[in-house]
Amino acid sequence: MNSPIGIFDSGYGGLTVLKSIKKALPQYDYLYLGDNARAPYGTRSFDVVYQYTLQAVNYLFQQNCRLIILACNTASAKALRTIQQQNLPQLFPDRRVLGVLRPTTEEVGNITKSGHVGVLGTTGTVKSDSYKIEINKFFPDVKVTQHSCPMWVPLVENNCFNEAGGQYFVQKYLDEIFEKDHQIDTLILACTHYPILKESILKYLPNGVQLVEQGDLVANKLEDYLKRHVELAKNISSNCELNLLTTENSQKFDHHLSLFYGEHLKSQSIDLD
Ligand code: DGL
């Protein structure tokens, strides 16, 4: 039985992370799960995000994944720690669940020159304060300003960010975070959906501000992690296969997949409840 790397997101956003990981580590098998039927997660409470994420993790474990990446900042910020500390030791002590915050937070202080970093994320990610706490653990002197962009995920999920109304909200949240701190020179896209808006974001970004996307950072750290965890790495199957699962209608997912991932692939619909 294959043992793919599980990649989980609330919807389409994790495809941006999958793309980078697959490019860096093409040899492995991957099983992507998007909980599209229950997305967005960003406005949901801690308990609900935790329950949904745990269901997804359990499902991916049943599919024989030994390593799961929570390619969703909201799930990483609100559910990862509890799953790692409370659920994993009881369920599968030899399996691993990793998130997407750490690869970014442990690097960003080396990128900023002004020492002022901006974080754009969902309401849930921003409210959790996880980015601020993690960044300041590694770089205590960095000033972190967070701002939530509640309309960005729906704009991506509904593929309407290129319309005038969509562009209005892209510009609005950028203006608002730079009003909070005009010295920000490094801006983290702390939601896996946001790279899909990159072209629009670049139009409204002040000169000299560097955008930090997570895909390549997560992929590089994963590559490094697997070199250090040989036992785990050797149990991942390596047939270059990609399978896609969604909790929504699979045709709907496949249509968006070709838009957001750039490939025509077929997904399968599953139920997590
Ligand atoms: N893609 C998710 C993230 O990175 C959030 C999208 C959602 O709100 O479901 O935070």
Side-chain angles (χ1 to χ4, degrees):
M1 190 179 182
N2 277 0
S3 182
I5 296 177
I7 311 270
F8 170 68
D9 182 50
S10 59
Y12 301 110
L15 293 168
T16 59
V17 177
L18 171 68
K19 205 167 187 159
S20 297
I21 293 180
K22 241 180 128 264
K23 203 167 102 201
L25 299 162
Q27 69 274 29
Y28 292 124
D29 294 340
Y30 295 93
L31 182 58
Y32 182 91
L33 170 56
D35 192 6
N36 300 76
R38 301 188 295 194
Y41 278 17
T43 45
R44 296 191 187 276
S45 67
F46 180 93
D47 287 344
V48 170
V49 172
Y50 165 63
Q51 286 305 336
Y52 285 1
T53 306
L54 185 59
Q55 280 177 343
V57 163
N58 268 324
Y59 186 92
L60 289 169
F61 279 152
Q62 282 161 22
Q63 307 308 305
N64 210 29
C65 296
R66 286 160 197 273
L67 171 65
I68 297 171
I69 311 294
L70 298 186
C72 174
N73 287 273
T74 310
S76 297
K78 294 176 108 171
L80 178 66
R81 185 158 304 205
T82 315
I83 289 175
Q84 282 176 334
Q85 292 178 353
Q86 287 179 24
N87 305 106
L88 216 49
Q90 291 165 7
L91 288 170
F92 293 104
D94 58 336
R95 301 195 186 190
R96 292 290 171 265
V97 182
L98 305 175
V100 285
L101 263 71
R102 185 150 179 174
T104 318
T105 53
E106 67 186 13
E107 279 307 321
V108 74
N110 300 322
I111 301 173
T112 177
K113 297 214 164 35
S114 68
H116 292 243
V117 168
V119 177
L120 295 175
T122 64
T123 308
T125 298
V126 167
K127 272 205 182 139
S128 77
D129 250 354
S130 304
Y131 267 90
K132 196 171 160 35
I133 294 166
E134 284 271 322
I135 293 171
N136 286 145
K137 213 160 65 191
F138 296 112
F139 306 99
D141 296 333
V142 166
K143 179 170 164 42
V144 181
T145 300
Q146 306 181 88
H147 196 64
S148 58
C149 311
M151 289 301 289
W152 282 11
V153 169
L155 291 176
V156 170
E157 293 277 321
N158 294 293
N159 190 25
C160 55
F161 48 90
N162 281 324
E163 295 165 17
Q167 293 291 302
Y168 167 83
F169 280 106
V170 173
Q171 184 171 15
K172 174 180 157 65
Y173 298 138
L174 288 170
D175 287 350
E176 285 171 356
I177 192 166
F178 288 104
E179 260 166 44
K180 283 184 180 171
D181 181 359
H182 63 275
Q183 291 189 67
I184 293 169
D185 71 345
T186 306
L187 190 61
I188 303 176
L189 298 185
C191 171
T192 50
H193 281 62
Y194 298 174
I196 292 165
L197 300 171
K198 185 175 172 186
E199 292 308 312
S200 307
I201 293 171
L202 287 174
K203 276 201 251 169
Y204 303 111
L205 199 67
N207 282 340
V209 177
Q210 169 133 10
L211 267 195
V212 177
E213 292 175 69
Q214 296 176 303
D216 290 347
L217 282 174
V218 171
N220 292 342
K221 296 283 176 185
L222 179 61
E223 198 172 357
D224 182 56
Y225 180 88
L226 290 172
K227 278 188 194 142
R228 288 183 287 110
H229 295 80
V230 186
E231 276 307 301
L232 182 68
K234 78 172 189 224
N235 283 316
I236 301 170
S237 51
S238 306
N239 309 300
C240 312
E241 272 180 20
L242 167 61
N243 286 293
L244 301 149
L245 305 172
T246 175
T247 54
E248 248 285 3
N249 173 291
S250 61
Q251 281 161 359
K252 186 175 167 199
F253 186 86
D254 297 348
H255 175 68
H256 281 76
L257 181 76
S258 58
L259 288 171
F260 296 134
Y261 191 68
E263 284 182 40
H264 294 278
L265 299 166
K266 292 238 170 294
S267 64
Q268 192 193 328
S269 187
I270 58 130
D271 217 346
L272 282 179
D273 298 315

